[in-house]
Amino acid sequence: MATEKEYFKGISKIPYLPSAGPHDVMCFKQYNAEEVLLGRKMEDWLRFSVCYWHTFCGIGADPFGSQTLHRPWNQGTPMESARNRLNAAFEFFNKLGVKYYTFHDRDMAPEGSTLEESNRNLDQLTDLALQLQAQTGVQVLWVTCNLFAHPRYMNGAATNPDSHVLAYAGAQLKKGLDVAKKLGAENFVFWGGREGFYSLLNTDVAAELKHMANFFKMAVRYKEKIGLKCQFLIEPKPKEPCKHQYDYDAMSVIGFLKHYGLDDHFKLNIEPNHTTLAGHSYEHDIVMASAFGMLGSVDSNTGSPDLGWDTDQFPMDTKNTTLVMKAIIEQGGLQPGGLNFDAKVRRESTDLEDLFIAHIGAMDAFARGLRNAVRLTEDGLLPGMVKERYSSFAQGLGQRVEEGTATLEDMEAYIKQNGEPKVTSGKQEKYESIFNQYI
């Protein structure tokens, strides 16, 4: 790939070296893109994506400390830096060997003093992105709009009490959908960073939820109007920056979508770090969304369970990745979604190679999780045990319950004939012990 400058000097395309030792961190030991598992290439099961905001825009600042990451592409005017950043990003994608990337509109191009200027900036940078996509074959997994960072959105975007602000959000979203079509994005994500509240004393919850639903309906209509062929996704998060966010978890979002008749137009982009912030296990929202046919994509990261905020760490725990890949295999894959690394290197990891090491480690963790989940599926032991546990619903009264034809009178008659049910062990420790054999 021809770029104006090489940013990652001395780093070539990352190879697959399964025999490499523990100190060899600039190679894949598990991720073999072309390897076929369950009739599909590993790269097609995993569909890895690099996020733009943390990887190329992140500077290592936090509420307690200033910038620690000084990147060579962040030089010049805002537009010059944006072009440098885009060239550096595609060099990184190419050397890492991923086929997808994700971005917010304001990651790709700087915001101008007016909407028109912001749109012109975005047009120029997406023209370059289109050229780089054609050169490399790397495509957009999803686009999203940053409707939370600017001060105008401090009280929300789609849920703002001021309709003027909501109108600005709609105008920004319109351009974002145009960009998604221009770049051939396979998905479009809505993350309501400020769609929530800090106090119920100044909040009309019913009005805000209705306005947000109508905002989504506008998006659906415009998507159909311009012929945009992509999947709409909503990303749940329980809190932060708001005290409470309306998209609290998977079930909250599913209930919202069904209530407002939007469930045919949206699926969910699940971020496990958000799931654990809601008090659930790592895989919980992935399993719940999948159970309702609503799992569209995964923001593949993790958090520190002993902390109460979103740390966006790279996922390295193979137990977690195995559970995620088990759910993905059971639903037949994630297409057109994928596994997007919404994760950032720690502010103490300041070398450019750390960006590669982090992604390589996470990709290997998911590749190992995929291998584990494939063995678990092929062996059939745990699935068979679960099926046996629910076997009473395969015939008789249980089958009628399954089909929805049983009545309370049927329940009463059955108990009068069969008496008290026997106690049956759930065998939780046995399931956990068997599962550990695959890790």
Side-chain angles (χ1 to χ4, degrees), residues 116-137:
E116 291 82 3
E117 183 182 356
S118 298
N119 288 350
R120 285 195 299 272
N121 291 346
L122 200 52
D123 286 338
Q124 292 181 39
L125 269 296
T126 51
D127 284 346
L128 177 57
L130 204 57
Q131 295 174 24
L132 293 170
Q133 287 180 199
Q135 289 176 21
T136 62

Side-chain angles (χ1 to χ4, degrees), residues 240-260:
E240 193 197 42
C242 292
K243 177 181 178 181
H244 174 87
Q245 292 185 210
Y246 292 128
D247 51 6
Y248 188 91
D249 61 6
M251 293 306 295
S252 299
V253 174
I254 291 170
F256 168 85
L257 292 172
K258 288 184 177 293
H259 179 77
Y260 287 103

Side-chain angles (χ1 to χ4, degrees), residues 79-369:
M79 284 297 285
E80 288 170 345
S81 295
R83 292 189 188 93
N84 295 339
R85 192 178 303 121
L86 192 55
N87 282 313
F90 273 84
E91 180 188 338
F92 183 83
F93 304 151
N94 192 52
K95 289 182 174 180
L96 185 63
V98 297
K99 291 188 173 181
Y100 298 98
Y101 71 109
T102 59
F103 66 93
H104 298 81
D105 51 358
R106 301 308 182 226
D107 305 327
M108 180 72 75
E111 185 159 9
S113 58
T114 65
L115 178 68
E116 291 82 3
E117 183 182 356
S118 298
N119 288 350
R120 285 195 299 272
N121 291 346
L122 200 52
D123 286 338
Q124 292 181 39
L125 269 296
T126 51
D127 284 346
L128 177 57
L130 204 57
Q131 295 174 24
L132 293 170
Q133 287 180 199
Q135 289 176 21
T136 62
V138 176
Q139 301 297 314
V140 178
L141 185 69
W142 52 257
V143 175
T144 187
C145 288
N146 184 330
L147 301 177
F148 50 86
H150 194 281
R152 77 173 71 90
Y153 297 128
M154 68 180 183
N155 292 309
T159 61
N160 199 289
D162 184 349
S163 62
H164 192 156
V165 177
L166 193 151
Y168 203 105
Q172 188 175 337
L173 174 59
K174 177 179 178 292
K175 184 62 176 179
L177 294 172
D178 290 335
V179 165
K181 182 178 180 182
K182 175 180 179 178
L183 297 182
E186 297 189 21
N187 305 269
F188 192 96
V189 168
F190 296 81
W191 177 60
R194 306 239 178 225
E195 314 296 18
F197 54 81
Y198 294 95
S199 172
L200 286 171
L201 295 176
N202 66 351
T203 303
D204 185 337
V205 171
E208 291 193 357
L209 287 169
K210 181 180 179 181
H211 297 162
M212 185 164 64
N214 288 337
F215 187 77
F216 289 150
K217 290 175 182 178
M218 290 184 234
V220 169
R221 290 195 295 269
Y222 189 69
K223 172 188 172 183
E224 294 171 348
K225 179 179 179 179
I226 65 174
L228 172 59
K229 305 297 183 184
C230 77
Q231 178 174 255
F232 273 0
L233 301 167
I234 294 179
E235 181 175 326
K237 188 178 185 181
K239 58 185 178 180
E240 193 197 42
C242 292
K243 177 181 178 181
H244 174 87
Q245 292 185 210
Y246 292 128
D247 51 6
Y248 188 91
D249 61 6
M251 293 306 295
S252 299
V253 174
I254 291 170
F256 168 85
L257 292 172
K258 288 184 177 293
H259 179 77
Y260 287 103
L262 287 161
D263 49 308
D264 288 339
H265 300 285
F266 288 83
K267 289 190 177 182
L268 275 59
N269 179 51
I270 300 298
E271 180 175 319
N273 196 171
H274 294 174
T275 302
T276 54
L277 287 179
H280 303 310
S281 63
Y282 187 86
E283 73 282 0
H284 176 274
D285 269 12
I286 289 172
V287 172
M288 296 304 292
S290 182
F292 284 87
M294 298 290 280
L295 177 62
S297 199
V298 176
D299 264 11
S300 306
N301 64 12
T302 192
S304 293
D306 52 340
L307 299 177
W309 61 89
D310 192 359
T311 55
D312 287 328
Q313 296 167 233
F314 279 88
M316 302 290 186
D317 187 326
T318 55
K319 176 183 178 182
N320 288 339
T321 60
T322 300
L323 288 166
V324 170
M325 293 314 302
K326 175 179 178 291
I328 290 172
I329 287 173
E330 287 172 350
Q331 76 165 30
L334 273 178
Q335 305 86 336
L339 299 174
N340 175 56
F341 290 117
D342 184 358
K344 57 189 174 186
V345 294
R346 301 300 87 188
R347 69 190 300 267
E348 303 84 9
S349 300
T350 56
D351 294 340
L352 286 179
E353 75 165 7
D354 293 329
L355 290 173
F356 282 93
I357 293 169
H359 282 85
I360 291 166
M363 291 166 74
D364 265 357
F366 263 99
R368 181 174 295 201

Side-chain angles (χ1 to χ4, degrees), residues 50-62:
V50 174
C51 86
Y52 208 82
W53 50 101
H54 289 319
T55 308
F56 307 107
C57 301
I59 60 172
D62 66 19

